[in-house]
Amino acid sequence: MTPPASVPVLSAEGLSVSFDGRTALSNVSLELPRGRIVSIIGPSGCGKTTLLRCFNRMNELVEGAHTAGAVRFEGFDLYAAHVDPVEVRRQIGMVFQQPTPFPKSVFDNVAFGPRASGFKGDLHALVEEVLSSAGLWPEVAAELDAPALALSAGQQQRLCIARTLAVKPSVLLMDEPTSALDPTATARIEALVHSLKGTYTVVIATHDLQQAARLSDLTAFLDGGDLVEYGPTETLFTNPRDPRTESYLTGRAR
Amino acid sequence: MIFLRYHGKVGTACAVGAWTATAGLILLAGFLAVRGWGVLDPAFFLSSPSRDPGRAGIGPALAGTLWLALLTVAFALPVGVGAAVYLEEYAPKNRWATFGESVVVSLAGVPSVVYGVAGLAVFVRAMGAGRSILAGGLTLAVLALPVVIATSREAIRSVPDGLRRAAYGLGATRWQVLRHQILPAAAPGIATGSCLAFTRAVGEAAPLLVIGAASFVTFAPQGPGDPLISLPTRIFAWTTHAQPEFGALAAGAAIALLLLLLAANLAVLAARRRMRRAYL
């Protein structure tokens, strides 16, 4: 039974994160609706990456990280004592800023996640399916055994997206997925993200304001670890409530 | 000629140093070859030591060294890599970890003869292994261990963090990340560093002399329980004889030892290349 659309897929309540006592995120609360694209914008060091990593418990891989508050996925507390972070990361996938293909073949890259979680079905069919979803299949179908590091940066990033989809997550977290790519590769990734809308809930941290405006239904603006404003992308961009949002969007120094 | 090209003052000084070292090595090898070439025939590699230098050979000593090498690698590699993995991936980074690290680093600088004394007390006597190949292999393993740990740690540390994050992000467990990402990526570095440690250990005579290597064994060891003999201690034994014929035997045995270690290094180099190619 799928929960009604009104229940948010992910929500944060009073979420604060610090690293070795240095606050990175303070008292953030927001709800992410199902099947939508949500972008997180804000200046460098504002906590975009930290917020993303709260959603799949990646922050705890960093020594000295401390998380307070609650993160709920389908209503369940992700940080409850009995929750296994490995299971969380199979439900909530992540794509990183730098394309990080494993030094293995294209096929093995995609197959890594399913193999790790003990996938029993037809691995070849799954690999073809997710590579097609990522728009990479026509380019690599003939050379699945070729090393992934031989692909172009844009192809590598699409491979990383395909690899994440192969674990069958319901949420996709993307941490500035196009910031290391050229405009053509960026356009392809954006088209891909757009095509995932509806099937997946996508949270994308970006410093490219146009990208946020083009892609997302909702936008959150973070500054200095505070959630300054969160709402429909169009409203936030055309009619920001908070003067801090306005000055960031117009590029004015404060 | 390439070594006369002008590199600037510092470059020239370095070039002179490099060529001096190279010349020294060539001279050493040449000296050994001239001294020992005459004794190098198939019988030399197979026959036992003898009071008659014309019939003496390195058969048992060579077999002993091969046994020692096998045991040293079998003990020190899993323990060393395991310790490195623990220290890098599992142990909390606190004062104890720093302390442990400095202990390992200082152990790497302890003279090999000291390991011999410790091996005599622990493996030969307390453990009751006697003056056997096993006791020798364990002593050499302990001797090699600090360098294996240090180089393995370095290799594991140089695995890009992005690789770890990506694997964790796909829902891999800690063991899966270690087994399928970190260890394969670190393997070439671990192999290179460990190979250096092992060739150094296997070429050691001093610790084996301390724990009591037999000087005159006429049969090849069949297993770890047999009396401890090795090429380096055989070389040492022959150099203590007065007659020049035994000097030639020592030089011949030294050539054999060098060739053995060279072959081991080349094998690791080839394996490393294969790993690198698979890695790309």
Side-chain angles (χ1 to χ4, degrees):
Chain A
M1 195 189 91
T2 49
S6 57
V7 174
V9 175
L10 273 170
S11 63
E13 290 156 33
L15 188 64
S16 299
V17 179
S18 62
F19 297 103
D20 287 321
R22 194 179 43 80
T23 302
L25 213 56
S26 55
N27 200 22
V28 169
S29 300
L30 81 174
E31 294 186 340
L32 308 176
R34 186 177 311 279
R36 300 297 175 82
I37 301 176
V38 178
S39 58
I40 304 173
I41 59 169
S44 297
C46 69
K48 297 192 290 282
T49 297
T50 304
L51 177 57
L52 269 191
R53 290 184 180 178
C54 284
F55 291 135
N56 68 345
R57 294 187 58 171
M58 289 290 276
N59 281 325
E60 60 202 75
L61 296 176
V62 181
E63 211 147 332
H66 180 77
T67 306
V71 178
R72 290 184 202 286
F73 172 64
E74 308 285 8
F76 297 103
D77 183 5
L78 284 185
Y79 285 80
H82 64 275
V83 174
D84 180 3
V86 169
E87 200 47 52
V88 171
R89 293 173 200 138
R90 287 174 185 168
Q91 298 286 325
I92 303 170
M94 185 160 217
V95 175
F96 299 88
Q97 182 173 2
Q98 293 289 334
T100 48
F102 301 129
K104 299 171 186 283
S105 71
V106 171
F107 183 91
D108 286 342
N109 260 276
V110 181
F112 178 82
R115 278 175 181 153
S117 50
F119 180 74
K120 287 285 182 292
D122 183 350
L123 200 54
H124 277 86
L126 176 66
V127 169
E128 178 174 350
E129 178 202 324
V130 295
L131 282 173
S132 302
S133 304
L136 195 60
W137 179 252
E139 292 157 65
V140 298
E143 39 196 338
L144 290 176
D145 292 330
L149 290 170
L151 300 175
S152 73
Q155 287 174 322
Q156 288 184 8
Q157 193 62 307
R158 277 182 285 149
L159 177 68
C160 290
I161 295 172
R163 188 172 73 178
T164 308
L165 297 182
V167 191
K168 301 280 174 195
S170 49
V171 178
L172 210 56
L173 309 173
M174 305 181 113
D175 189 2
E176 301 189 17
T178 60
S179 66
L181 304 179
D182 64 51
T184 316
T186 299
R188 296 207 61 162
I189 300 273
E190 286 187 10
L192 164 58
V193 171
H194 200 77
S195 75
L196 298 174
K197 184 176 159 178
T199 321
Y200 299 90
T201 306
V202 181
V203 190
I204 180 166
T206 180
H207 59 219
D208 179 347
L209 296 177
Q210 274 85 35
Q211 184 172 68
R214 277 192 299 266
L215 279 178
S216 59
D217 303 303
L218 292 155
T219 297
F221 172 60
L222 285 177
D223 193 12
D226 297 316
L227 178 63
V228 177
E229 192 164 345
Y230 177 49
T233 300
E234 211 184 315
T235 316
L236 189 134
F237 272 86
T238 53
N239 195 10
R241 283 193 314 268
D242 197 291
R244 283 187 287 170
T245 314
E246 189 178 354
S247 63
Y248 178 69
L249 291 175
T250 52
R252 245 178 290 143
R254 276 160 292 152
Chain B
M1 270 192 296
I2 187 162
F3 52 87
L4 289 182
R5 201 190 303 147
Y6 189 65
H7 297 286
K9 273 179 201 149
V10 176
T12 305
C14 293
V16 167
W19 285 108
T20 311
T22 312
L25 276 174
I26 292 172
L27 253 149
L28 181 79
F31 169 78
L32 282 176
V34 169
R35 278 300 306 275
W37 201 253
V39 305
L40 290 176
D41 55 29
F44 177 72
F45 288 96
L46 297 173
S47 49
S48 306
S50 162
R51 236 157 296 167
D52 170 9
R55 289 173 40 207
I58 55 168
L62 187 59
T65 282
L66 291 176
W67 268 111
L68 286 170
L70 186 74
L71 290 178
T72 306
V73 175
F75 291 130
L77 196 59
V79 174
V81 174
V85 164
Y86 172 74
L87 290 171
E88 282 304 310
E89 301 289 324
Y90 290 88
K93 307 270 177 290
N94 55 20
R95 239 177 298 164
W96 286 109
T98 319
F99 175 72
E101 180 163 11
S102 57
V103 167
V104 170
V105 169
S106 355
L107 279 178
V110 171
S112 62
V113 70
V114 177
Y115 283 96
V117 175
L120 180 67
V122 177
F123 300 127
V124 176
R125 302 225 170 102
M127 214 179 86
R131 301 171 193 278
S132 62
I133 296 275
L134 178 65
L138 285 170
T139 306
L140 294 184
V142 175
L143 173 77
L145 211 44
V147 179
V148 175
I149 294 174
T151 55
S152 300
R153 288 190 70 174
E154 203 51 56
I156 290 168
R157 206 176 303 165
S158 65
V159 173
D161 232 20
L163 218 56
R164 282 185 185 81
R165 269 205 303 272
Y168 278 120
L170 290 169
T173 61
R174 205 171 199 182
W175 164 247
Q176 287 166 337
V177 175
L178 185 66
R179 166 72 186 77
H180 297 290
Q181 302 298 341
I182 297 175
L183 284 182
I190 292 175
T192 315
S194 306
C195 181
L196 275 173
F198 291 136
T199 48
R200 185 195 150 214
V202 167
E204 281 288 351
L208 300 184
L209 289 169
V210 172
I211 64 177
S215 59
F216 202 84
V217 172
T218 54
F219 61 92
Q222 303 297 309
D226 283 346
L228 174 60
I229 47 173
S230 76
L231 262 183
T233 53
R234 182 71 261 158
I235 294 169
F236 174 76
W238 272 331
T239 54
T240 58
H241 287 270
Q243 301 103 299
E245 291 87 348
F246 285 106
L249 287 174
I255 293 172
L257 181 62
L258 286 181
L259 288 178
L260 185 70
L261 299 183
L262 186 69
N265 273 312
L266 289 178
V268 168
L269 209 68
R272 186 189 145 106
R273 282 201 154 173
R274 285 192 59 148
M275 283 189 265
R276 277 270 154 85
R277 215 172 303 138
Y279 189 69
L280 203 89

